[in-house]
Amino acid sequence: MKCTKCAAPAAINMRQHRLALCGDHYVEWFRAQTERAVSKHRMFSREERVLVAVSGGKDSLALWDVLLHLGYQADALYIDLGIDDGIRYSDRSLTHIHRFLAGRPEANLQVVDIEQVCGASIPDASRLTRRGRSKPCSVCGLVKRHVMNRVARDGGYDVVVTGHNLDDEAAVLFGNTLRWQLGYLSRQAPVLPASSQGLARKAKPFHRFYERETAAYALVRGIDYMYDECPYSVGATSLRHKAVLNELERQAPATKLQFYLGFLRAREEGAFEGLDAARPDLSACLECGQPTTAGQRCAFCRMWEQVNARKGRLGEPARAENSR
Amino acid sequence: MVKLTFREQEFEVPAGITVGQALAKCQLNPHTVLAVRQGKLITDDVVLNEGDEIRLLAVISGGREAG
Ligand code: SF4
Ligand SMILES: [Zn+2]
Ligand SMILES: [Zn+2]
C-alpha cells in the first residue's frame, strides 16, 4: 500500500478515513488534525498557558510532543502515584518522561509525589479506605483530579489537557449508555469550561484519534513511551468495553468513529441539555478551598484524614464502617 | 517461516502471506495492534518474507481512569 500523498510505502492505513500515509505525511496529518480539534472546540489559544497531564504512556507524551511542535505554551504535570507492584510502575514511567525531556530543553515538567505530599502512596492509601479496598482506581482518580486542578490553579494555567483518545471516549460512552447514565452523558465533552467555583477548564485534543493512531504517532516520532500498563488496570471495565468496540470495528470499519461522532453531534444539537440540572451546587472546601459538592470538606480531604488516622495499621484491611 | 512477537507470546507463520492474514492466523484483531518490521511500521497488505521478524505492539491501554 502506498502513501496517498507521495506514493512512498505507507506506514499506516486508516480504513475509517480511507487514508494511507507514509511516516512523514502521517506526522504532518496528525498535527494538523490536532490543531483543527483545538480550534474547532476552542480548547485554548497560543496566548494561554496549558498544563498537560502526562503519565509516561503513548497518548500523553504524543500530546505533549504535538502541542510543543504547534507552538503552544504547554508545560506538563506528572503525578507520582507510588505504584510499584513488583514492576516499579511509577518509577519507570517517570524515567520515560525524563527521556522525553532530554531532547527538549524548552519543555517544563512539574512532578507531584503523592507519598511526599499526602503521606502515603496510592496503593497504601487505598488499603486504608473503604473507597479503595478492592482496587485503588477510585482513590487514584480522585487524587489525580484534585491534584491536577490544584496545580492548574496555583500555577495560573488556563486549561488542563489530557491524552484521552477516541477509544477511551467511546468506551466511556458505551458504559454510560449501557446504564443510561444521562447525567454523565451530558457532561462527556471534548472540552469542559472552567466553573466559577474554581474548576479548571479541561480539554481532550486527541478525542478524535483512534488509539492505534496515537500509538503510531509515538512510534514514528521515536517517542520511547512506557509500554507496560498500570498493574491495576487488569480486568478494568473500560478495557472490556474497548474489546467489544474493536470487535465491532473489525467487522465494520468506522463503527467506533460513527458511534462517538454521532454522540457529539446529538450533544451539540442539544439532545442532552438540561439533564445535569440535578447536579448540586459546588462550594469551596473548608480545608483546601477546592470546589466540592460535599458541603463542608471535599472527598479528597476526608479521604486523607481517614488514611492518616489509620496509618501505622498498614497491612490490616480497612474496616467496613457504615456499610449498612 | 516468519516470527511474530506479541507481548510475551511468539507466533510462527509461513512466508508469503500478508500481515493481515498472519494476524488472523494468530487470532489477533488488526485494530488492536501495530506491526513493526526492522523498526518501521508496515500496513496489513504487506507480504511477509522468509526470515522476517515482526514485532506486534498492543495499542489498547488504560484502566478505569485511563491512567
Ligand atoms: S489503572 Fe487504576 S490505579 Fe492504575 S493509574 Fe489507572 S486509575 Fe490509577
Ligand atoms: Zn507520503
Ligand atoms: Zn478539600
Side-chain angles (χ1 to χ4, degrees):
Chain A
M1 192 168 291
K2 289 194 160 52
C3 171
T4 315
K5 293 202 171 148
C6 73
I12 184 164
N13 178 28
M14 295 172 283
R15 291 179 68 188
Q16 78 282 17
H17 299 312
R18 295 173 203 274
L19 185 66
L21 294 170
C22 69
D24 289 348
H25 281 120
Y26 183 63
V27 167
E28 196 181 288
W29 175 85
F30 191 89
R31 288 178 183 160
Q33 292 295 311
T34 308
E35 178 78 76
R36 257 182 70 178
V38 169
S39 58
K40 181 177 180 222
H41 295 278
R42 296 197 194 89
M43 291 180 176
F44 43 83
S45 69
R46 285 186 171 71
E47 284 69 51
E48 291 184 300
R49 294 183 60 226
V50 178
L51 184 65
V52 189
V54 293
S55 67
K58 62 184 190 319
D59 301 293
S60 56
L61 288 184
L63 178 58
W64 198 12
D65 180 82
V66 171
L67 294 182
L68 289 173
H69 260 272
L70 291 174
Y72 288 102
Q73 304 181 50
D75 295 346
L77 164 67
Y78 175 69
I79 303 175
D80 190 331
L81 306 167
I83 295 174
D84 182 319
D85 211 55
I87 62 163
R88 297 178 40 250
Y89 176 73
S90 291
D91 284 353
R92 284 170 52 222
S93 298
L94 185 55
T95 307
H96 285 273
I97 296 171
H98 282 142
R99 269 185 221 142
F100 177 92
L101 279 171
R104 294 169 176 84
E106 79 283 16
N108 289 312
L109 171 72
Q110 190 173 334
V111 178
V112 173
D113 184 328
I114 295 301
E115 184 164 0
Q116 248 171 44
V117 176
C118 302
S121 70
I122 293 294
D124 283 346
S126 301
R127 266 172 233 131
L128 295 171
T129 54
R130 288 223 314 124
R131 189 188 257 272
R133 249 183 320 159
S134 54
K135 225 171 186 253
C137 293
S138 167
V139 166
C140 186
L142 172 69
V143 170
K144 282 194 285 201
R145 281 192 299 275
H146 181 98
V147 172
M148 272 181 217
N149 203 60
R150 188 163 66 194
V151 170
R153 192 187 62 183
D154 294 352
Y157 288 94
D158 297 288
V159 59
V160 177
V161 302
T162 52
H164 290 91
N165 55 52
L166 189 142
D167 288 66
D168 296 324
E169 294 300 301
V172 168
L173 176 61
F174 190 60
N176 289 340
T177 308
L178 281 178
R179 281 168 278 126
W180 289 111
Q181 288 177 309
L182 297 175
Y184 286 151
L185 285 171
S186 72
R187 290 196 294 277
Q188 187 181 352
V191 58
L192 287 174
S195 76
S196 52
Q197 298 96 339
L199 278 181
R201 188 191 325 155
K202 281 191 203 131
K204 302 166 185 170
F206 280 0
H207 70 288
R208 288 179 77 127
F209 289 128
Y210 277 10
E211 191 147 12
R212 194 165 179 271
E213 293 161 13
T214 60
Y217 178 84
L219 210 93
V220 172
R221 287 281 298 143
I223 296 172
D224 176 17
Y225 62 87
M226 175 73 171
Y227 182 66
D228 288 339
E229 285 299 306
C230 173
Y232 300 112
S233 71
V234 175
T237 316
S238 57
L239 288 176
R240 218 161 48 234
H241 291 162
K242 282 182 180 181
V244 171
L245 291 168
N246 277 319
E247 181 50 31
L248 296 173
E249 183 82 15
R250 188 177 68 78
Q251 292 173 29
T255 299
K256 290 187 291 192
L257 187 70
Q258 285 161 3
F259 177 52
Y260 180 62
L261 293 189
F263 163 72
L264 288 189
R265 225 173 294 122
R267 198 179 182 282
E268 267 158 37
E269 287 164 6
F272 299 94
E273 247 156 52
L275 290 176
D276 64 347
R279 210 181 180 191
D281 283 340
L282 299 179
S283 57
C285 167
L286 297 176
E287 195 167 332
C288 71
Q290 288 232 63
T292 173
T293 50
Q296 306 243 304
R297 287 158 69 246
C298 72
F300 177 89
C301 290
R302 280 183 284 129
M303 185 202 87
W304 284 105
E305 183 189 50
Q306 191 180 46
V307 169
N308 287 314
R310 287 174 172 178
K311 253 171 45 183
R313 288 211 260 133
L314 269 180
E316 280 174 47
R319 268 178 304 148
E321 282 162 15
N322 316 322
S323 60
R324 254 149 258 247
Chain B
M1 284 310 234
V2 175
K3 198 157 81 180
L4 301 110
T5 53
F6 177 67
R7 297 203 159 111
E8 281 83 46
Q9 289 168 274
E10 271 196 14
F11 303 95
E12 282 200 342
V13 297
I17 64 171
T18 65
V19 172
Q21 289 165 337
L23 292 176
K25 269 186 186 298
C26 307
Q27 298 194 327
L28 292 171
N29 182 338
H31 294 281
T32 63
V33 295
L34 287 167
V36 180
R37 182 169 68 185
Q38 294 177 334
K40 281 205 151 47
L41 273 177
I42 52 174
T43 49
D44 287 358
D45 61 319
V46 169
V47 176
L48 298 169
N49 303 318
E50 188 58 45
D52 271 354
E53 291 190 5
I54 308 295
R55 198 158 59 98
L56 299 173
L57 286 176
V59 300
I60 303 304
S61 61
R64 174 119 143 246
E65 295 287 336

